Amino acid sequence: MRVPLMAANWKMHKTVGEALAFVEAFLPRVRGVDGIEIVLAPPFTALDRTGEALAGSGVALAAQDCHAERFGAFTGEISATMLEDLGCTYAIVGHSERRTLCGETDTEVAGKAATLLRHGIRPIVCVGESLTEREEGRAFDRVGEQVDKSLASVPADKASEIVVAYEPIWAIGTGRTASPADAQEMHAFVRECLAKRFGDGAHGVRIQYGGSVKPENVYALMAQPDIDGALVGGASLDPESFAKIVCFAPPEESP
Ligand code: PGA
């Protein structure tokens, strides 16, 4: 049984003060939520204080990236050792914004995922096709290739520690979401790719959907058998909105 994983990716938003105000407003809203894992990924600068504010709450701390090397002359980079030191138990790697804007490759993503696992930090490995790739009928090939290459260094006995986030690039920050059926089709395909690599271990891997997830659409997405959580950008910046997503109640029936 896969425990749903709801993660907030704040990207380059929130000062320390804003992060702490979020936590103060958010925690009471999710107190008592059972059987759902909740993760916040603030920017690096707010990790320390956000981690302190989350202590004892059951809400986990994630980084938005990590360098593949343990230490060294990499100006501006952050290592898995440093993230472990701050209490991060998850880290997002291979987000499409990093792949597109920073030219990150599948091989680099694989190195980051492997390093994180060695430090006991669970990688949330992002994959997803562009609009052109979808329109040209190449979405499954592209996502399959990303899954294979980005997880190339993950040993089978660590499969249950990884999370894959399927985020179609055309749905990120655009207000356009994949339909639940289209998302499910891709998630089932990702699980097939995982099964080729990890065998039965694939059933334990959580696959999140990301791309314009909102309180209004999360229930239908979470009702799909292979959607095990959400990676949420814009709608995770507001405590009330993210709390509603975490709880994914069915939409109210109109009177
Ligand atoms: P979005 O971002 O929810 O704003 O579309 C999701 C993501 O990039 O992880």
Side-chain angles (χ1 to χ4, degrees):
M1 164 78 186
R2 298 184 294 268
V3 177
L5 180 69
M6 309 308 263
N9 173 15
W10 287 349
K11 309 189 181 185
M12 199 171 71
H13 293 284
K14 294 196 191 291
T15 60
V16 172
E18 288 165 347
L20 296 180
F22 177 103
V23 172
E24 198 181 331
F26 177 70
L27 289 183
R29 290 181 156 88
V30 294
R31 201 159 285 142
V33 170
D34 202 21
I36 296 171
E37 217 179 325
I38 309 170
V39 178
L40 300 185
F44 288 126
T45 48
L47 277 174
D48 193 14
R49 298 285 301 282
T50 304
E52 277 173 20
L54 292 176
S57 69
V59 176
L61 188 67
Q64 297 177 18
D65 187 33
C66 165
H67 198 273
E69 295 298 329
R70 284 173 50 232
F71 56 85
F74 302 101
T75 301
E77 296 290 345
I78 305 281
S79 73
T81 315
M82 296 166 188
L83 299 180
E84 189 183 2
D85 190 36
L86 292 179
C88 290
T89 50
Y90 287 89
I92 300 167
V93 288
H95 191 280
S96 64
E97 284 150 17
R98 297 204 58 84
R99 290 177 185 266
T100 311
L101 303 172
C102 310
E104 215 164 276
T105 63
D106 290 325
T107 310
E108 283 167 323
V109 176
K112 293 176 179 202
T115 303
L116 286 165
L117 286 171
R118 278 198 291 277
H119 285 265
I121 300 173
R122 296 166 177 237
I124 299 176
V125 179
C126 301
V127 297
E129 81 283 2
S130 67
L131 186 59
T132 314
E133 286 161 344
R134 176 151 287 258
E135 285 173 349
E136 291 176 356
R138 293 189 285 123
F140 288 86
D141 285 350
R142 180 69 190 117
V143 170
E145 184 187 11
Q146 286 177 326
V147 170
D148 278 351
K149 291 187 177 167
S150 302
L151 300 180
S153 315
V154 175
D157 64 338
K158 297 270 189 193
S160 63
E161 291 176 34
I162 58 160
V163 176
V164 176
Y166 167 60
E167 300 200 302
I169 296 172
W170 46 270
I172 295 178
T174 58
R176 265 183 84 178
T177 323
S179 71
D182 283 349
Q184 165 57 27
E185 194 183 13
M186 186 60 90
H187 280 234
F189 171 73
V190 169
R191 203 171 302 285
E192 273 171 33
C193 299
L194 294 171
K196 282 189 197 133
R197 176 166 290 279
F198 300 125
D200 284 348
H203 295 293
V205 178
R206 287 171 298 175
I207 308 175
Q208 294 179 304
Y209 172 79
S212 296
V213 174
K214 301 186 273 280
E216 298 76 34
N217 59 24
V218 64
Y219 182 78
L221 290 161
M222 289 301 292
Q224 305 301 314
D226 287 293
I227 299 185
D228 308 313
L231 182 57
V232 189
S236 76
L237 294 171
D238 173 70
E240 189 178 345
S241 153
F242 187 54
K244 282 186 182 158
I245 290 172
V246 165
C247 302
F248 60 98
E252 278 167 19
E253 288 181 27
S254 30

